[in-house]
Structures are given as structure tokens and as C-alpha cells.
Amino acid sequence: MDERALRVARLIADEPSRPGDHHGVAGNLRRLCSAAGRALSASGAGLSVVVGDRMRGVAAVSEPAYEPVEELQFTLGEGPCLDAFATRRPVLVPDLSAAAMWRWPGYATALHGKGIRAVFAFPLQIGAARLGAFDVFRDEPGPLTADEFRDALTFADVAVTTLLDGQARAAPGAAADGLDDEVVGQRAELFQAQGMVAVQLGISLADALARLRAYAYAEDRALGDVARDVVARRVSFNSGPS
């Protein structure tokens, strides 16, 4: 392990646990995000993973306030994280008020409204395998320094190792310890809600997802929360909120 990797590993190990931290992989990833936020002069950091059949979800954030920020890309279906995952390359946006408004109009506008001025996304990958993306948020515009960029890549590498080690210890067919509720549960609810809306409106699953996203955006809510309300029948797309 090189000097930079050792330093990043120490930063994560020294990050204290907090009340409400999950055990296992999810707790380790939360501490990783928190340590990264400090090391990279960020206002916050988040990590999203992909498991199974394209099931996506927020696995960890540095602070609870950043969970809806990290979730926003899934609500809108666009953003640097999704692009980093798709292209397998970092996506660096030092100023959300510039070209990002054209590239991701919904995402950039919504994030800007939440006080975020820069975002940097790094793919979580090893060989041909893609696991998700690691996001760094800042409340001031400006690029990462060369050292910060290399540190961010190292944090992403550690996240990959954490996910793979956790999955290696999991039972066959199960998610890594601590990620079941964080990821699989979120996506299962979304799939169920998607099917319910498709039946309610007589539309395709793709159109149902678009309706869910539009509703979440209009109500300024996380997509996962809207899906949970649909499954619990607190929200119906036939009659609106009950």
C-alpha cells in the first residue's frame, strides 16, 4: 500500500462512529464519506451503489442532510454520478452555474437551489466490474487541486475494496452486511411502486417511473420516499395523496 493509500486508510479509521450508524459495510462507508469530506475540503460526500439487476441506491452519506442530495440523481435520472458510472471516468463539475446547466438542466438547477456549487463524481470500478459512484459536493465553486483529485481517487478505491470485502463475506445471493436495508430495500420498493403506478394509469413501466420522478421533483421529495408512500397506499396516482 502506498503512502497516500495509508494516509487515507488512517483518516477513515480515525473517523468516529455516530449515533445511528449502521453496522458492517454501510457504517464503514459512512465513515469513509465523512473522512473524505474533511480531506477534500467538501461540504459533503455520498456514495451510491448498483447491485443485482440494475438496482441502485444511496449506500452512505457524510451527513444526513446529504442523503436527499445524493438521491436527487435517481429522482431526476441525470447527473454527474450516473455519467461517471456509465462512462467509467470521473466527471468533474467545478461550477454548477456554467455548462452543467445545459448538460443536466434539472439536476444542476435543483442542486444549485440546495446551496451546492460544485460536484465531483468518481466511478467505483475494478476491471470490467462497475459497483457505483462516489460523489463529492462543495458549497463554493472551484476545482479540486491535483492532490485532492488523487485523494478522491484513493477514497474511491478504498470504497471498492470495502464493498468487495463485504460482499465476499455475505451469504450467496445476499447483499453485503449493512447494505440490505440501505440499497436492496430502497430499490425493491421503487420497483413495486413502479408496477403499481403502471397498473393505476394503464401505462408502461418506463412511463410509470417518469411519473414517479416528476411527482418526487414537484413535491421536493426523495424518490424512495414517494415509492414508499405508493406501496403503503398513502399516494395513489389515480386520486392523488390520501
Side-chain angles (χ1 to χ4, degrees):
M1 187 179 290
D2 63 25
E3 182 179 344
R4 187 180 302 275
L6 285 170
R7 177 168 56 82
V8 164
R10 283 196 297 269
L11 288 173
I12 298 169
D14 290 343
E15 189 66 30
S17 298
R18 297 178 187 165
D21 263 3
H22 294 273
H23 297 295
V25 173
N28 292 336
L29 292 177
R30 203 286 304 162
R31 288 186 286 276
L32 181 149
C33 288
S34 186
R38 299 179 195 280
L40 302 174
S41 301
S43 56
L47 190 149
S48 292
V49 302
V50 177
V51 295
D53 186 17
R54 299 177 62 83
M55 294 198 299
R56 301 179 297 191
V58 178
V61 289
S62 56
E63 303 280 351
Y66 280 88
E67 185 164 356
V69 174
E70 183 71 7
E71 174 75 19
L72 190 60
Q73 62 204 323
F74 302 120
T75 300
L76 298 174
E78 64 177 31
C81 170
L82 298 183
D83 282 10
F85 178 79
T87 64
R88 303 175 183 267
R89 301 182 63 179
V91 177
L92 312 178
V93 188
D95 188 352
L96 274 168
S97 65
M101 290 294 184
W102 295 95
R103 187 171 180 181
W104 311 288
Y107 176 85
T109 300
L111 215 61
H112 201 271
K114 293 180 180 295
I116 306 299
R117 297 295 179 265
V119 58
F120 310 94
F122 300 84
L124 303 179
Q125 59 190 5
I126 180 167
R130 296 178 296 169
L131 308 180
F134 167 60
D135 299 319
V136 177
F137 305 100
R138 283 180 168 174
D139 55 14
E140 295 289 341
L144 296 171
T145 66
D147 273 344
E148 287 170 339
F149 178 79
R150 287 191 287 269
D151 281 349
L153 290 175
T154 304
F155 275 106
D157 285 343
V158 174
V160 169
T161 300
T162 301
L163 286 165
L164 293 178
D165 286 350
Q167 194 60 51
R169 293 191 294 269
D177 180 31
L179 287 186
D180 288 297
D181 291 338
E182 298 300 303
V183 180
V184 177
Q186 293 175 24
R187 295 310 104 188
E189 282 182 332
L190 178 56
F191 292 152
Q192 187 176 352
Q194 208 175 333
M196 291 173 67
V197 172
V199 171
Q200 288 171 10
L201 300 179
I203 58 179
S204 69
L205 288 173
D207 287 342
L209 179 58
R211 293 292 187 97
L212 284 164
R213 281 174 167 160
Y215 182 93
Y217 182 65
E219 297 293 322
D220 193 23
R221 300 183 62 200
L223 183 60
D225 290 343
V226 172
R228 191 169 301 114
D229 280 351
V230 171
V231 171
R233 293 179 169 80
R234 290 187 291 265
V235 169
S236 169
F237 279 66
N238 278 330
S239 58
S242 56

